[in-house]
Amino acid sequence: MSQFFPALLSISFSSLSIVMHIGVIGAGIVGLASAYQLLRAGHEVTVIDASRDGGLGTSFANGGQLSYGYVSPLAAPGVLSQLPSLLLSSTGPLRIKPSLDPDFWRWSLEFVKHCNARANASSTLRLLSLGLHSREVMLEFLAQESGTFDYRLSGKLVVYRDAGKLAAAERSLEMANGLGYTQRRVDAATCVSLEPALSKIAGELAGGIHTPGEGTGDCQMLCRELMRLIGAHERGTLLFEREVTGFDVRGNTVQAIRTRAGDIPVDACVVANGLAAVPLLRGVGESVSMYPLKGYSLTYRGAPVDARPQVSVTDADNKVVYASLGEHLRVAGIADLVGYDYRIVKHRIDALRTLSTGLFPSLRGTPEPLEWTGMRPSTPHGRPVLGRADKVGNLWLNVGHGALGFTLSMGAARAIADAIDGKRPAVDLAGFARLAA
């Protein structure tokens, strides 16, 4: 049983017959949540990341929504009919730029295979199961730990201008309700009563879907809190500016994680470094299909009170989300399938600015917002890849969460920690295997 100082850390540990030294590659929200859950299980954990600090990649300025019940993947029946316009338009909420990269074509062909009702429903149900488990684990974390990341049980309101799209969304909510998670269709007037700022566009709205159990929070702040908890414990180690170059594998077992600063011996390893996992896993014969889905965000620091929505709002037509984070407003959205292009494209970020100031006019008099772009590590079917690697027995995967990394991080981390310990996870990992249909 590990000894620790309650004044510094409130992680409680369960006893284990075998304590392992587990390396976690990646210090974004997924990797840090994995490390936290493994520490709770009683293991020694070393987090390794190439960056100078944690939470500086996709976790840095994401949408801020903990959207447990609204997880339907991008691969859906209607997407294929939109492909001509997506390929030709540079201004829509989803933009596709074909590439000569073989990974783009492999990913795209697999994506097309999942753009049907059966595959979408299957993925949605699996993601709902993981999302609701993640909500339970997050609420447990909030009850146990004293740190803050501007979390708020705000509820989520997804608004629609198109009645047909609203009807399709209503069919999806039946899955969540069937799992005991409340979602309801509301009319335009109720949308405005839930969020008065929507009164400016009330005449345009067909209605919305309201989910009272959703929350908001600052993902990067949570990363910092997890680093504090991990670093304060005698069995937790954080190693930054350590680029992982591969693995020392002998007899189908990882003996050590190789970095440019030397090898780190481990008993097991969790790969949780998003897109960087693709070439790393290829080095040991593991193939994972992920491709970057580029998103943008604006953070209005010190936003006026009337520009901080009471509920988390998603504009379904424009694929933009609005979340109040303390005194700030986070506006995020857009999906660009344009390869590994990390530049902030002016007309894309300007589109977010126009939408946000249109809905919240008082933002026009505030200081310029923080502009950001991030690469969501997306799988073709929209589900993360969770579980043991195929060819290396003590190598575990926790990658490919796409736009749901913040939402799914705690549940995925708990499921992986349970599986490593030989326990049955609350979520069936067979549905998140690399080749799951």
Side-chain angles (χ1 to χ4, degrees):
M1 186 73 172
S2 173
Q3 299 299 313
F4 60 96
F5 299 99
L8 293 176
L9 181 63
S10 59
I11 296 177
S12 61
F13 298 94
S14 59
S15 60
L16 278 178
S17 56
I18 299 175
V19 175
M20 292 185 284
H21 176 211
I22 301 176
V24 176
I25 302 173
I29 186 58
V30 173
L32 291 168
S34 298
Y36 171 84
Q37 294 296 337
L38 289 165
L39 272 177
R40 279 185 51 82
H43 296 291
E44 180 183 352
V45 179
T46 298
V47 179
I48 309 156
D49 196 278
S51 299
R52 59 180 172 80
D53 204 351
L56 297 183
T58 309
S59 301
F60 183 74
N62 63 22
Q65 292 189 335
L66 290 163
S67 184
Y68 306 109
Y70 209 90
V71 292
S72 183
L74 181 62
V79 173
L80 295 183
S81 64
Q82 301 172 32
L83 275 180
S85 62
L86 296 176
L87 290 167
L88 296 173
S89 174
S90 63
T91 59
L94 173 61
R95 182 168 65 105
I96 300 175
K97 180 181 177 182
S99 167
L100 295 176
D101 183 356
D103 285 345
F104 168 81
W105 291 107
R106 280 191 288 266
W107 188 95
S108 297
L109 290 172
E110 193 67 22
F111 176 82
V112 168
K113 282 172 55 180
H114 285 85
C115 287
N116 61 78
R118 183 194 62 80
N120 181 269
S122 176
S123 290
T124 300
L125 189 58
R126 291 167 179 175
L127 287 166
L128 273 172
S129 176
L130 180 58
L132 298 185
H133 177 52
S134 196
R135 183 177 186 271
E136 291 177 2
V137 180
M138 177 63 86
L139 292 176
E140 177 186 292
F141 173 85
L142 289 164
Q144 292 175 337
E145 308 297 351
S146 59
T148 179
F149 55 101
D150 282 337
Y151 171 80
R152 195 162 59 93
L153 182 61
S154 60
K156 177 172 178 171
L157 178 63
V158 184
V159 296
Y160 293 84
R161 293 170 178 81
D162 186 291
K165 292 180 180 178
L166 176 58
E170 186 175 16
R171 289 192 293 273
S172 295
L173 71 80
E174 293 172 1
M175 290 188 189
N177 288 334
L179 293 173
Y181 193 56
T182 302
Q183 290 186 323
R184 62 184 178 126
R185 176 173 174 164
V186 294
D187 59 19
T190 305
C191 288
V192 173
S193 69
L194 289 166
E195 180 44 63
L198 295 174
S199 61
K200 303 174 186 64
I201 60 170
E204 304 172 25
L205 298 180
I209 303 294
H210 181 231
T211 312
E214 311 283 68
T216 55
D218 188 317
C219 184
Q220 209 271 335
M221 284 179 65
L222 178 56
C223 286
R224 290 202 301 267
E225 177 62 14
L226 288 169
M227 285 188 288
R228 181 187 73 82
L229 294 169
I230 295 164
H233 188 262
E234 62 182 5
R235 288 189 179 179
T237 302
L238 297 162
L239 298 179
F240 293 108
E241 298 182 307
R242 297 287 186 95
E243 182 182 352
V244 175
T245 58
F247 304 97
D248 178 7
V249 178
R250 303 176 203 172
N252 296 326
T253 301
V254 173
Q255 303 292 326
I257 299 169
R258 287 182 168 154
T259 79
R260 296 197 184 280
D263 289 0
I264 301 169
V266 293
D267 299 310
C269 175
V270 177
V271 178
N273 58 337
L275 292 163
V278 174
L280 187 62
L281 291 169
R282 278 180 183 157
V284 290
E286 300 286 344
S287 175
V288 175
S289 181
M290 285 191 289
Y291 206 70
L293 198 58
K294 184 178 183 180
Y296 293 82
S297 78
L298 295 170
T299 304
Y300 289 89
R301 291 161 289 194
V305 173
D306 63 353
R308 296 183 224 154
Q310 298 173 16
V311 298
S312 169
V313 174
T314 294
D315 179 344
D317 300 88
N318 292 302
K319 292 184 169 58
V320 173
V321 303
Y322 301 88
S324 297
L325 305 177
E327 297 181 349
H328 312 316
L329 172 69
R330 176 73 47 78
V331 184
I334 302 177
D336 283 353
L337 197 66
V338 295
Y340 292 83
D341 180 355
Y342 291 86
R343 295 173 298 173
I344 293 180
V345 179
K346 186 177 186 303
H347 77 270
R348 298 300 265 167
I349 202 77
D350 283 351
L352 281 186
R353 184 180 281 102
T354 299
L355 286 167
S356 57
T357 55
L359 188 59
F360 302 108
S362 62
L363 291 174
R364 295 192 181 102
T366 62
E368 279 297 298
L370 171 69
E371 300 177 351
W372 179 82
T373 185
M375 297 294 191
R376 309 173 184 116
S378 302
T379 61
H381 42 61
R383 302 186 304 269
V385 178
L386 309 176
R388 192 194 302 268
D390 292 335
K391 300 177 181 178
V392 185
N394 62 342
L395 186 64
W396 296 81
L397 311 184
N398 190 0
V399 296
H401 301 73
L404 296 170
F406 188 24
T407 294
L408 302 179
S409 58
M410 284 293 185
R414 175 67 62 80
I416 290 294
D418 285 345
I420 289 174
D421 283 343
K423 301 175 183 177
R424 176 176 292 182
V427 175
D428 184 3
L429 293 187
F432 297 92
R434 187 169 54 86
L435 298 177

